Amino acid sequence: MGAALFVDNLSKEYRLGQQNARRWLGNAMLSAKQNPETLIKALDGVSFGVEQGEVLGIMGRNGAGKSTLLKLLSRITAPSSGQIKQKGRMASLLEVGTGFHPDLTGRENVFLNGAILGMRKAEVRQRLDEIVDFAGVSAFLDTPVKRYSSGMYVRLAFAVAAHLDPEILIIDEVLAVGDAEFQKKCVDKMKSASAGQGKTILFVSHNLAFVQALCPRAILLEKGQLKADGPTADVIQHYIQGGQSAQSSLTRKGTLQAELHSRQMYNEHGQPAALIQQGQPCSFVLEYHAKQSLEQVGVALGFNDMGGQRILSVWSEFQQQRFSFKPGMNTIRITLPAMKLMPANYTLISYLTSNGLVVEEVEDVQQLLVVAPALKEGFAAPSLNQGVFNDEATILLETPNT
Amino acid sequence: MNSFQRISDDYWDRILRPRSPWWKLPVREIWEYRDLILLLFRRDLIAVYKQTVLGPIWFFVGPLFTVAVYTLVFGRVAKLPSDGLPPPLFYMSGILLWSFFSSNLTAITGSLVQNASLFGKVYFPRLVVPLSILMSSLVKLGIQALMLLLLLGYFVLNTDFSWKPGLSLCLLPFLLLLLSATALGLGLVFASFSTRYRDLNHLVGFGMLLLMYASPVIYPASFVPASLQPFFALNPIAPILEAFKSGLFGLPFSLWTGLAYSSAFALFTLVLGLMAFQRVEGRFVDYI
């Protein structure tokens, strides 16, 4: 397998602000050097290479430069400096349904959209049945797409894109669309594309669990620069730790007689970690700095899913425990004998109460990624499609007594 | 990383750089996207009359009403001469080519801004859009030419008007080529600038209106007073419209130098337009 893509010292600058007569006159009189503050660097000297057949995860927070990188890779806009070298056809699913015209029928739109994505008419005709099957809209093929439900619309659009036959495929958050069943279809399609057909895939998602599950390797962008490049688990670790808000910038609510001073999560080996394997023990250490002594102290950790929904609460009250805090540092260790949450990323929220009053509530204390357990070859890994928790169970085949 | 650096440029299929040279038109790539040109063209034609009762008949309604109004206002009220032709025929022949030119130019000028959201999501050679516009204009022109023929038939059958087309009617394909090249060239120049300065869209709409009055659409070229002829000669569209009318109705034609000027103008604007377009193509998405 040879190289598929090489990004060489890539930079992209944007000019901020509106184009108007004043700017126009201003530019004529001042050179750009004289007002450099209007330029922002969205990408700054990024370099990486991708081999054919590789699935690369691209991670980074909002504004880190992911979208800019994708736009440059898919030729939507040209770089300011540096270059991108590609081997083979490249296609991107940046936003599905591009160029769909509401008044045209599903069939007409499939052809139009296919052509926009770079397919010849004959190729589309060849794959029409497959596309329509995949999207599950065969009954409505000759209906204008404006009469489609939003789900049908998105499925059809994704189906067209998924049946492109590029050597390099860029996928951005499209898995966020559709129901769980359709998502699974998409993930399977991606897996078979990379493993079976040797396709190179660049995958961008905020869903760390997806990235972890699909990509052996990942890169991390931060403020337009390449911060990490390596095995996905390491890069995710980097990502989560880099994303922890500084102690001072945490949003705290409550009487604040005691404040969270530090927090750390430990994996089953007692090492600081942001990734926890499902089924393994883990612990959370919270250090509180108390300004005065506090009685009847309760401690809680809330686990929210990506939609902000509370999935799990661990509260000292449930364990029939209350503590006393002395002025100064007080350390709380919360241990879970086994992480039962399904693979996904979660946000932790901490609560401290005293005599029933909230002393401190901190949102976004920590990001946590639960990854699938290592199973024997051939067994299905637990995933969010099957619920929120994976509890231990004993399952026996009972043979009747003879 | 170094192993990637060592790969020679010949290995790669595509190298994306900050700027592509202005003389390198992506002709091969546009050819690969020829189906898209056709489909966009089809979309433009079909989507216009989806969910309408009259459907494609709307293509006729506009020019017909315009001819009726011109006949009434300029022919009956203002009593402008029409080279001895029945006024409806005279106006129709002028409007046909003029609207081909002006609607083309206006649509191409607006094409980048109007399709900005599409361009912001997916790459294809941007020139595909102006080319598809040109194509649908040609087809609309074809449809409207049918109407001119019907009108012609009506006047031949019902009045004492006799139709004697001139030999120069053979120039029609060339005249269309000139109009297309001028519209595409100027349109691309304006489109390129309008990505930064939207003012141009307004300017072009307004300019087209003015230019129509400076062209022999509602009056014959012979009607222009001698003192204004030097200015009239600056209009590269005028000789083309005159040549068409003289060919169609067998009228004398004297603007040969004018036609040569129009050809030079068309070629010049086309090259200029392609250059300007090439220059903004890579990056206009950033500031559109």
PDB file of all heavy atoms in Angstrom, chain A residues 3 12 24 74-75 77-79 84-88 120-121 146, chain B residues 5 9 11 13-14 16 18 29 34-35 51 118 123 197 282-283 286:
ATOM      1  N   ALA A   3       1.204   5.723  -0.362  1.00  0.00           N
ATOM      2  CA  ALA A   3       0.661   6.912   0.288  1.00  0.00           C
ATOM      3  C   ALA A   3      -0.622   7.338  -0.409  1.00  0.00           C
ATOM      4  O   ALA A   3      -0.772   7.172  -1.613  1.00  0.00           O
ATOM      5  CB  ALA A   3       1.693   8.024   0.229  1.00  0.00           C
ATOM      6  N   LYS A  12      -3.755  28.408   6.540  1.00  0.00           N
ATOM      7  CA  LYS A  12      -4.874  29.134   5.943  1.00  0.00           C
ATOM      8  C   LYS A  12      -5.188  30.340   6.805  1.00  0.00           C
ATOM      9  O   LYS A  12      -5.391  30.226   8.013  1.00  0.00           O
ATOM     10  CB  LYS A  12      -6.097  28.220   5.866  1.00  0.00           C
ATOM     11  CG  LYS A  12      -7.342  28.902   5.329  1.00  0.00           C
ATOM     12  CD  LYS A  12      -7.250  29.141   3.852  1.00  0.00           C
ATOM     13  CE  LYS A  12      -8.500  29.843   3.333  1.00  0.00           C
ATOM     14  NZ  LYS A  12      -8.369  30.187   1.915  1.00  0.00           N
ATOM     15  N   TRP A  24     -12.669  49.291   1.729  1.00  0.00           N
ATOM     16  CA  TRP A  24     -12.145  49.397   0.380  1.00  0.00           C
ATOM     17  C   TRP A  24     -11.212  50.591   0.271  1.00  0.00           C
ATOM     18  O   TRP A  24     -10.111  50.498  -0.245  1.00  0.00           O
ATOM     19  CB  TRP A  24     -13.313  49.529  -0.588  1.00  0.00           C
ATOM     20  CG  TRP A  24     -12.943  49.283  -2.003  1.00  0.00           C
ATOM     21  CD1 TRP A  24     -12.603  48.089  -2.576  1.00  0.00           C
ATOM     22  CD2 TRP A  24     -12.878  50.254  -3.042  1.00  0.00           C
ATOM     23  NE1 TRP A  24     -12.321  48.266  -3.892  1.00  0.00           N
ATOM     24  CE2 TRP A  24     -12.487  49.585  -4.209  1.00  0.00           C
ATOM     25  CE3 TRP A  24     -13.110  51.635  -3.090  1.00  0.00           C
ATOM     26  CZ2 TRP A  24     -12.326  50.248  -5.426  1.00  0.00           C
ATOM     27  CZ3 TRP A  24     -12.954  52.283  -4.298  1.00  0.00           C
ATOM     28  CH2 TRP A  24     -12.562  51.581  -5.444  1.00  0.00           C
ATOM     29  N   SER A  74     -10.976  19.140   0.579  1.00  0.00           N
ATOM     30  CA  SER A  74     -11.962  18.854  -0.456  1.00  0.00           C
ATOM     31  C   SER A  74     -12.036  19.974  -1.492  1.00  0.00           C
ATOM     32  O   SER A  74     -12.974  20.044  -2.254  1.00  0.00           O
ATOM     33  CB  SER A  74     -13.322  18.595   0.174  1.00  0.00           C
ATOM     34  OG  SER A  74     -13.616  19.608   1.096  1.00  0.00           O
ATOM     35  N   ARG A  75     -11.045  20.833  -1.525  1.00  0.00           N
ATOM     36  CA  ARG A  75     -10.863  21.836  -2.582  1.00  0.00           C
ATOM     37  C   ARG A  75     -11.919  22.921  -2.593  1.00  0.00           C
ATOM     38  O   ARG A  75     -12.097  23.606  -3.612  1.00  0.00           O
ATOM     39  CB  ARG A  75     -10.854  21.192  -3.971  1.00  0.00           C
ATOM     40  CG  ARG A  75      -9.714  20.254  -4.189  1.00  0.00           C
ATOM     41  CD  ARG A  75      -9.787  19.659  -5.559  1.00  0.00           C
ATOM     42  NE  ARG A  75      -9.323  20.591  -6.576  1.00  0.00           N
ATOM     43  CZ  ARG A  75      -9.273  20.286  -7.858  1.00  0.00           C
ATOM     44  NH1 ARG A  75      -9.664  19.124  -8.271  1.00  0.00           N
ATOM     45  NH2 ARG A  75      -8.831  21.154  -8.745  1.00  0.00           N
ATOM     46  N   THR A  77     -11.887  25.568  -0.839  1.00  0.00           N
ATOM     47  CA  THR A  77     -11.128  26.799  -0.895  1.00  0.00           C
ATOM     48  C   THR A  77      -9.641  26.455  -0.929  1.00  0.00           C
ATOM     49  O   THR A  77      -9.247  25.348  -0.587  1.00  0.00           O
ATOM     50  CB  THR A  77     -11.483  27.730   0.288  1.00  0.00           C
ATOM     51  OG1 THR A  77     -10.683  28.892   0.196  1.00  0.00           O
ATOM     52  CG2 THR A  77     -11.248  27.071   1.616  1.00  0.00           C
ATOM     53  N   ALA A  78      -8.843  27.409  -1.394  1.00  0.00           N
ATOM     54  CA  ALA A  78      -7.419  27.141  -1.590  1.00  0.00           C
ATOM     55  C   ALA A  78      -6.627  27.548  -0.348  1.00  0.00           C
ATOM     56  O   ALA A  78      -7.014  28.466   0.357  1.00  0.00           O
ATOM     57  CB  ALA A  78      -6.923  27.911  -2.807  1.00  0.00           C
ATOM     58  N   PRO A  79      -5.522  26.862  -0.063  1.00  0.00           N
ATOM     59  CA  PRO A  79      -4.709  27.213   1.098  1.00  0.00           C
ATOM     60  C   PRO A  79      -4.003  28.555   0.915  1.00  0.00           C
ATOM     61  O   PRO A  79      -3.863  29.040  -0.212  1.00  0.00           O
ATOM     62  CB  PRO A  79      -3.696  26.081   1.190  1.00  0.00           C
ATOM     63  CG  PRO A  79      -3.632  25.485  -0.164  1.00  0.00           C
ATOM     64  CD  PRO A  79      -4.980  25.699  -0.786  1.00  0.00           C
ATOM     65  N   ILE A  84      -1.307  20.341  -0.606  1.00  0.00           N
ATOM     66  CA  ILE A  84      -1.957  19.068  -0.317  1.00  0.00           C
ATOM     67  C   ILE A  84      -1.752  18.171  -1.522  1.00  0.00           C
ATOM     68  O   ILE A  84      -2.038  18.589  -2.645  1.00  0.00           O
ATOM     69  CB  ILE A  84      -3.465  19.265  -0.080  1.00  0.00           C
ATOM     70  CG1 ILE A  84      -3.713  20.176   1.106  1.00  0.00           C
ATOM     71  CG2 ILE A  84      -4.149  17.925   0.126  1.00  0.00           C
ATOM     72  CD1 ILE A  84      -5.149  20.626   1.222  1.00  0.00           C
ATOM     73  N   LYS A  85      -1.248  16.971  -1.299  1.00  0.00           N
ATOM     74  CA  LYS A  85      -1.031  16.050  -2.409  1.00  0.00           C
ATOM     75  C   LYS A  85      -1.937  14.841  -2.231  1.00  0.00           C
ATOM     76  O   LYS A  85      -1.988  14.270  -1.155  1.00  0.00           O
ATOM     77  CB  LYS A  85       0.434  15.614  -2.441  1.00  0.00           C
ATOM     78  CG  LYS A  85       1.391  16.791  -2.537  1.00  0.00           C
ATOM     79  CD  LYS A  85       2.831  16.353  -2.497  1.00  0.00           C
ATOM     80  CE  LYS A  85       3.748  17.569  -2.615  1.00  0.00           C
ATOM     81  NZ  LYS A  85       5.159  17.193  -2.679  1.00  0.00           N
ATOM     82  N   GLN A  86      -2.663  14.518  -3.272  1.00  0.00           N
ATOM     83  CA  GLN A  86      -3.628  13.436  -3.171  1.00  0.00           C
ATOM     84  C   GLN A  86      -3.410  12.391  -4.250  1.00  0.00           C
ATOM     85  O   GLN A  86      -3.059  12.720  -5.379  1.00  0.00           O
ATOM     86  CB  GLN A  86      -5.056  13.979  -3.309  1.00  0.00           C
ATOM     87  CG  GLN A  86      -5.397  15.002  -2.256  1.00  0.00           C
ATOM     88  CD  GLN A  86      -6.710  15.706  -2.543  1.00  0.00           C
ATOM     89  OE1 GLN A  86      -7.220  15.683  -3.648  1.00  0.00           O
ATOM     90  NE2 GLN A  86      -7.249  16.348  -1.518  1.00  0.00           N
ATOM     91  N   LYS A  87      -3.641  11.143  -3.879  1.00  0.00           N
ATOM     92  CA  LYS A  87      -3.571  10.055  -4.846  1.00  0.00           C
ATOM     93  C   LYS A  87      -4.964   9.458  -4.950  1.00  0.00           C
ATOM     94  O   LYS A  87      -5.514   8.985  -3.970  1.00  0.00           O
ATOM     95  CB  LYS A  87      -2.568   8.995  -4.349  1.00  0.00           C
ATOM     96  CG  LYS A  87      -2.441   7.785  -5.253  1.00  0.00           C
ATOM     97  CD  LYS A  87      -1.468   8.050  -6.377  1.00  0.00           C
ATOM     98  CE  LYS A  87      -1.296   6.826  -7.265  1.00  0.00           C
ATOM     99  NZ  LYS A  87      -0.630   7.205  -8.529  1.00  0.00           N
ATOM    100  N   GLY A  88      -5.533   9.491  -6.128  1.00  0.00           N
ATOM    101  CA  GLY A  88      -6.857   8.911  -6.306  1.00  0.00           C
ATOM    102  C   GLY A  88      -7.973   9.910  -6.088  1.00  0.00           C
ATOM    103  O   GLY A  88      -7.749  11.022  -5.631  1.00  0.00           O
ATOM    104  N   ARG A 120     -20.219  10.236 -12.922  1.00  0.00           N
ATOM    105  CA  ARG A 120     -20.781  10.301 -14.264  1.00  0.00           C
ATOM    106  C   ARG A 120     -22.209   9.736 -14.201  1.00  0.00           C
ATOM    107  O   ARG A 120     -22.529   8.938 -13.337  1.00  0.00           O
ATOM    108  CB  ARG A 120     -19.939   9.481 -15.244  1.00  0.00           C
ATOM    109  CG  ARG A 120     -18.486   9.938 -15.398  1.00  0.00           C
ATOM    110  CD  ARG A 120     -18.414  11.336 -16.024  1.00  0.00           C
ATOM    111  NE  ARG A 120     -19.386  11.489 -17.088  1.00  0.00           N
ATOM    112  CZ  ARG A 120     -19.200  11.071 -18.347  1.00  0.00           C
ATOM    113  NH1 ARG A 120     -18.080  10.495 -18.673  1.00  0.00           N
ATOM    114  NH2 ARG A 120     -20.132  11.243 -19.254  1.00  0.00           N
ATOM    115  N   LYS A 121     -23.000  10.154 -15.178  1.00  0.00           N
ATOM    116  CA  LYS A 121     -24.398   9.742 -15.219  1.00  0.00           C
ATOM    117  C   LYS A 121     -24.526   8.219 -15.256  1.00  0.00           C
ATOM    118  O   LYS A 121     -25.362   7.626 -14.590  1.00  0.00           O
ATOM    119  CB  LYS A 121     -25.026  10.340 -16.477  1.00  0.00           C
ATOM    120  CG  LYS A 121     -26.453  10.743 -16.335  1.00  0.00           C
ATOM    121  CD  LYS A 121     -26.847  11.527 -17.575  1.00  0.00           C
ATOM    122  CE  LYS A 121     -28.320  11.803 -17.635  1.00  0.00           C
ATOM    123  NZ  LYS A 121     -28.637  12.627 -18.809  1.00  0.00           N
ATOM    124  N   LYS A 146     -39.369  17.761  -1.799  1.00  0.00           N
ATOM    125  CA  LYS A 146     -39.946  18.653  -0.783  1.00  0.00           C
ATOM    126  C   LYS A 146     -41.091  17.977  -0.041  1.00  0.00           C
ATOM    127  O   LYS A 146     -41.506  18.445   1.008  1.00  0.00           O
ATOM    128  CB  LYS A 146     -40.398  19.971  -1.407  1.00  0.00           C
ATOM    129  CG  LYS A 146     -41.500  19.847  -2.420  1.00  0.00           C
ATOM    130  CD  LYS A 146     -41.879  21.207  -2.965  1.00  0.00           C
ATOM    131  CE  LYS A 146     -42.848  21.060  -4.138  1.00  0.00           C
ATOM    132  NZ  LYS A 146     -43.092  22.321  -4.806  1.00  0.00           N
TER     133      LYS A 146
ATOM    134  N   GLN B   5       7.575  13.131   2.284  1.00  0.00           N
ATOM    135  CA  GLN B   5       8.246  14.256   1.649  1.00  0.00           C
ATOM    136  C   GLN B   5       9.072  13.793   0.441  1.00  0.00           C
ATOM    137  O   GLN B   5       9.236  14.506  -0.521  1.00  0.00           O
ATOM    138  CB  GLN B   5       9.180  14.918   2.668  1.00  0.00           C
ATOM    139  CG  GLN B   5       9.280  16.411   2.495  1.00  0.00           C
ATOM    140  CD  GLN B   5       8.631  17.143   3.661  1.00  0.00           C
ATOM    141  OE1 GLN B   5       8.818  16.778   4.819  1.00  0.00           O
ATOM    142  NE2 GLN B   5       7.865  18.161   3.354  1.00  0.00           N
ATOM    143  N   ASP B   9       6.635  14.263  -7.095  1.00  0.00           N
ATOM    144  CA  ASP B   9       5.346  14.852  -7.445  1.00  0.00           C
ATOM    145  C   ASP B   9       4.606  14.055  -8.513  1.00  0.00           C
ATOM    146  O   ASP B   9       3.389  14.145  -8.626  1.00  0.00           O
ATOM    147  CB  ASP B   9       5.541  16.300  -7.918  1.00  0.00           C
ATOM    148  CG  ASP B   9       5.712  17.232  -6.733  1.00  0.00           C
ATOM    149  OD1 ASP B   9       5.629  16.738  -5.583  1.00  0.00           O
ATOM    150  OD2 ASP B   9       5.950  18.428  -6.944  1.00  0.00           O
ATOM    151  N   TYR B  11       4.048  10.985  -8.583  1.00  0.00           N
ATOM    152  CA  TYR B  11       3.240   9.930  -7.969  1.00  0.00           C
ATOM    153  C   TYR B  11       1.810  10.408  -7.721  1.00  0.00           C
ATOM    154  O   TYR B  11       0.854   9.670  -7.887  1.00  0.00           O
ATOM    155  CB  TYR B  11       3.893   9.497  -6.660  1.00  0.00           C
ATOM    156  CG  TYR B  11       3.034   8.604  -5.798  1.00  0.00           C
ATOM    157  CD1 TYR B  11       2.961   7.233  -6.027  1.00  0.00           C
ATOM    158  CD2 TYR B  11       2.288   9.137  -4.743  1.00  0.00           C
ATOM    159  CE1 TYR B  11       2.180   6.419  -5.243  1.00  0.00           C
ATOM    160  CE2 TYR B  11       1.499   8.325  -3.948  1.00  0.00           C
ATOM    161  CZ  TYR B  11       1.450   6.966  -4.195  1.00  0.00           C
ATOM    162  OH  TYR B  11       0.662   6.169  -3.415  1.00  0.00           O
ATOM    163  N   ASP B  13      -1.820  12.288  -7.897  1.00  0.00           N
ATOM    164  CA  ASP B  13      -2.761  12.629  -8.965  1.00  0.00           C
ATOM    165  C   ASP B  13      -3.094  14.108  -8.953  1.00  0.00           C
ATOM    166  O   ASP B  13      -3.512  14.671  -9.962  1.00  0.00           O
ATOM    167  CB  ASP B  13      -4.071  11.840  -8.781  1.00  0.00           C
ATOM    168  CG  ASP B  13      -3.851  10.358  -9.044  1.00  0.00           C
ATOM    169  OD1 ASP B  13      -2.942  10.054  -9.826  1.00  0.00           O
ATOM    170  OD2 ASP B  13      -4.559   9.533  -8.448  1.00  0.00           O
ATOM    171  N   ARG B  14      -2.963  14.720  -7.797  1.00  0.00           N
ATOM    172  CA  ARG B  14      -3.464  16.079  -7.651  1.00  0.00           C
ATOM    173  C   ARG B  14      -2.636  16.772  -6.594  1.00  0.00           C
ATOM    174  O   ARG B  14      -2.369  16.201  -5.536  1.00  0.00           O
ATOM    175  CB  ARG B  14      -4.912  16.010  -7.158  1.00  0.00           C
ATOM    176  CG  ARG B  14      -5.787  17.133  -7.606  1.00  0.00           C
ATOM    177  CD  ARG B  14      -7.223  16.876  -7.200  1.00  0.00           C
ATOM    178  NE  ARG B  14      -7.736  15.599  -7.661  1.00  0.00           N
ATOM    179  CZ  ARG B  14      -7.958  14.556  -6.875  1.00  0.00           C
ATOM    180  NH1 ARG B  14      -7.760  14.639  -5.583  1.00  0.00           N
ATOM    181  NH2 ARG B  14      -8.403  13.415  -7.368  1.00  0.00           N
ATOM    182  N   LEU B  16      -2.728  20.341  -4.542  1.00  0.00           N
ATOM    183  CA  LEU B  16      -3.465  21.590  -4.337  1.00  0.00           C
ATOM    184  C   LEU B  16      -2.503  22.628  -3.781  1.00  0.00           C
ATOM    185  O   LEU B  16      -1.888  22.423  -2.741  1.00  0.00           O
ATOM    186  CB  LEU B  16      -4.625  21.363  -3.363  1.00  0.00           C
ATOM    187  CG  LEU B  16      -5.510  20.149  -3.643  1.00  0.00           C
ATOM    188  CD1 LEU B  16      -6.622  20.062  -2.612  1.00  0.00           C
ATOM    189  CD2 LEU B  16      -6.102  20.226  -5.040  1.00  0.00           C
ATOM    190  N   PRO B  18      -1.629  27.050  -3.197  1.00  0.00           N
ATOM    191  CA  PRO B  18      -2.336  28.309  -2.914  1.00  0.00           C
ATOM    192  C   PRO B  18      -2.961  28.943  -4.158  1.00  0.00           C
ATOM    193  O   PRO B  18      -4.084  29.374  -4.131  1.00  0.00           O
ATOM    194  CB  PRO B  18      -1.246  29.195  -2.323  1.00  0.00           C
ATOM    195  CG  PRO B  18      -0.323  28.245  -1.669  1.00  0.00           C
ATOM    196  CD  PRO B  18      -0.325  27.008  -2.516  1.00  0.00           C
ATOM    197  N   GLU B  29     -10.868  18.840 -16.688  1.00  0.00           N
ATOM    198  CA  GLU B  29     -11.740  18.613 -15.546  1.00  0.00           C
ATOM    199  C   GLU B  29     -13.184  19.002 -15.871  1.00  0.00           C
ATOM    200  O   GLU B  29     -14.122  18.310 -15.506  1.00  0.00           O
ATOM    201  CB  GLU B  29     -11.241  19.447 -14.372  1.00  0.00           C
ATOM    202  CG  GLU B  29     -11.351  18.734 -13.080  1.00  0.00           C
ATOM    203  CD  GLU B  29     -10.900  19.613 -11.949  1.00  0.00           C
ATOM    204  OE1 GLU B  29     -10.575  20.789 -12.177  1.00  0.00           O
ATOM    205  OE2 GLU B  29     -10.868  19.124 -10.835  1.00  0.00           O
ATOM    206  N   ARG B  34     -18.970  17.094 -17.542  1.00  0.00           N
ATOM    207  CA  ARG B  34     -19.947  17.510 -18.549  1.00  0.00           C
ATOM    208  C   ARG B  34     -21.358  17.081 -18.179  1.00  0.00           C
ATOM    209  O   ARG B  34     -22.321  17.773 -18.487  1.00  0.00           O
ATOM    210  CB  ARG B  34     -19.554  16.979 -19.918  1.00  0.00           C
ATOM    211  CG  ARG B  34     -19.448  15.462 -20.029  1.00  0.00           C
ATOM    212  CD  ARG B  34     -18.790  15.086 -21.352  1.00  0.00           C
ATOM    213  NE  ARG B  34     -18.655  13.657 -21.533  1.00  0.00           N
ATOM    214  CZ  ARG B  34     -17.657  12.930 -21.033  1.00  0.00           C
ATOM    215  NH1 ARG B  34     -16.719  13.505 -20.317  1.00  0.00           N
ATOM    216  NH2 ARG B  34     -17.592  11.632 -21.262  1.00  0.00           N
ATOM    217  N   ASP B  35     -21.492  15.949 -17.493  1.00  0.00           N
ATOM    218  CA  ASP B  35     -22.834  15.521 -17.082  1.00  0.00           C
ATOM    219  C   ASP B  35     -23.464  16.513 -16.118  1.00  0.00           C
ATOM    220  O   ASP B  35     -24.667  16.731 -16.142  1.00  0.00           O
ATOM    221  CB  ASP B  35     -22.771  14.145 -16.417  1.00  0.00           C
ATOM    222  CG  ASP B  35     -22.582  13.046 -17.442  1.00  0.00           C
ATOM    223  OD1 ASP B  35     -22.718  13.352 -18.642  1.00  0.00           O
ATOM    224  OD2 ASP B  35     -22.283  11.904 -17.052  1.00  0.00           O
ATOM    225  N   GLN B  51     -44.847  22.715 -10.974  1.00  0.00           N
ATOM    226  CA  GLN B  51     -45.978  23.228 -10.209  1.00  0.00           C
ATOM    227  C   GLN B  51     -46.546  24.513 -10.806  1.00  0.00           C
ATOM    228  O   GLN B  51     -47.003  25.389 -10.095  1.00  0.00           O
ATOM    229  CB  GLN B  51     -45.575  23.456  -8.743  1.00  0.00           C
ATOM    230  CG  GLN B  51     -46.713  23.101  -7.804  1.00  0.00           C
ATOM    231  CD  GLN B  51     -46.308  23.149  -6.353  1.00  0.00           C
ATOM    232  OE1 GLN B  51     -45.142  23.213  -6.010  1.00  0.00           O
ATOM    233  NE2 GLN B  51     -47.266  23.095  -5.472  1.00  0.00           N
ATOM    234  N   LEU B 118     -23.790  26.231  -2.268  1.00  0.00           N
ATOM    235  CA  LEU B 118     -23.368  25.007  -2.950  1.00  0.00           C
ATOM    236  C   LEU B 118     -21.843  24.960  -3.048  1.00  0.00           C
ATOM    237  O   LEU B 118     -21.206  23.954  -2.736  1.00  0.00           O
ATOM    238  CB  LEU B 118     -23.998  24.978  -4.339  1.00  0.00           C
ATOM    239  CG  LEU B 118     -23.778  23.746  -5.202  1.00  0.00           C
ATOM    240  CD1 LEU B 118     -24.274  22.510  -4.484  1.00  0.00           C
ATOM    241  CD2 LEU B 118     -24.494  23.900  -6.530  1.00  0.00           C
ATOM    242  N   TYR B 123     -16.719  20.620  -3.999  1.00  0.00           N
ATOM    243  CA  TYR B 123     -15.927  21.141  -5.097  1.00  0.00           C
ATOM    244  C   TYR B 123     -16.377  20.557  -6.427  1.00  0.00           C
ATOM    245  O   TYR B 123     -16.630  19.370  -6.547  1.00  0.00           O
ATOM    246  CB  TYR B 123     -14.443  20.801  -4.919  1.00  0.00           C
ATOM    247  CG  TYR B 123     -13.656  21.200  -6.150  1.00  0.00           C
ATOM    248  CD1 TYR B 123     -13.271  22.517  -6.324  1.00  0.00           C
ATOM    249  CD2 TYR B 123     -13.380  20.286  -7.151  1.00  0.00           C
ATOM    250  CE1 TYR B 123     -12.624  22.915  -7.462  1.00  0.00           C
ATOM    251  CE2 TYR B 123     -12.730  20.680  -8.312  1.00  0.00           C
ATOM    252  CZ  TYR B 123     -12.350  21.994  -8.465  1.00  0.00           C
ATOM    253  OH  TYR B 123     -11.731  22.398  -9.603  1.00  0.00           O
ATOM    254  N   TYR B 197     -17.506  42.525  -4.057  1.00  0.00           N
ATOM    255  CA  TYR B 197     -18.301  43.762  -4.053  1.00  0.00           C
ATOM    256  C   TYR B 197     -19.655  43.483  -4.678  1.00  0.00           C
ATOM    257  O   TYR B 197     -19.794  43.441  -5.896  1.00  0.00           O
ATOM    258  CB  TYR B 197     -17.568  44.864  -4.819  1.00  0.00           C
ATOM    259  CG  TYR B 197     -16.160  45.038  -4.321  1.00  0.00           C
ATOM    260  CD1 TYR B 197     -15.075  44.565  -5.050  1.00  0.00           C
ATOM    261  CD2 TYR B 197     -15.917  45.636  -3.088  1.00  0.00           C
ATOM    262  CE1 TYR B 197     -13.783  44.701  -4.569  1.00  0.00           C
ATOM    263  CE2 TYR B 197     -14.641  45.760  -2.598  1.00  0.00           C
ATOM    264  CZ  TYR B 197     -13.569  45.299  -3.344  1.00  0.00           C
ATOM    265  OH  TYR B 197     -12.300  45.416  -2.858  1.00  0.00           O
ATOM    266  N   GLY B 282     -10.297  29.872  -6.708  1.00  0.00           N
ATOM    267  CA  GLY B 282      -9.808  29.078  -5.587  1.00  0.00           C
ATOM    268  C   GLY B 282     -10.278  29.568  -4.234  1.00  0.00           C
ATOM    269  O   GLY B 282     -10.348  28.803  -3.284  1.00  0.00           O
ATOM    270  N   ARG B 283     -10.587  30.838  -4.119  1.00  0.00           N
ATOM    271  CA  ARG B 283     -10.733  31.398  -2.784  1.00  0.00           C
ATOM    272  C   ARG B 283     -12.009  32.206  -2.533  1.00  0.00           C
ATOM    273  O   ARG B 283     -12.227  32.657  -1.429  1.00  0.00           O
ATOM    274  CB  ARG B 283      -9.543  32.316  -2.529  1.00  0.00           C
ATOM    275  CG  ARG B 283      -8.808  31.987  -1.263  1.00  0.00           C
ATOM    276  CD  ARG B 283      -7.608  32.854  -1.178  1.00  0.00           C
ATOM    277  NE  ARG B 283      -6.653  32.418  -2.179  1.00  0.00           N
ATOM    278  CZ  ARG B 283      -5.453  31.963  -1.893  1.00  0.00           C
ATOM    279  NH1 ARG B 283      -5.071  31.914  -0.650  1.00  0.00           N
ATOM    280  NH2 ARG B 283      -4.619  31.568  -2.828  1.00  0.00           N
ATOM    281  N   ASP B 286     -14.282  32.083   0.587  1.00  0.00           N
ATOM    282  CA  ASP B 286     -13.901  32.668   1.874  1.00  0.00           C
ATOM    283  C   ASP B 286     -14.578  34.003   2.159  1.00  0.00           C
ATOM    284  O   ASP B 286     -14.827  34.339   3.303  1.00  0.00           O
ATOM    285  CB  ASP B 286     -12.383  32.901   1.930  1.00  0.00           C
ATOM    286  CG  ASP B 286     -11.622  31.607   1.833  1.00  0.00           C
ATOM    287  OD1 ASP B 286     -12.253  30.552   2.000  1.00  0.00           O
ATOM    288  OD2 ASP B 286     -10.407  31.649   1.581  1.00  0.00           O
TER     289      ASP B 286
END
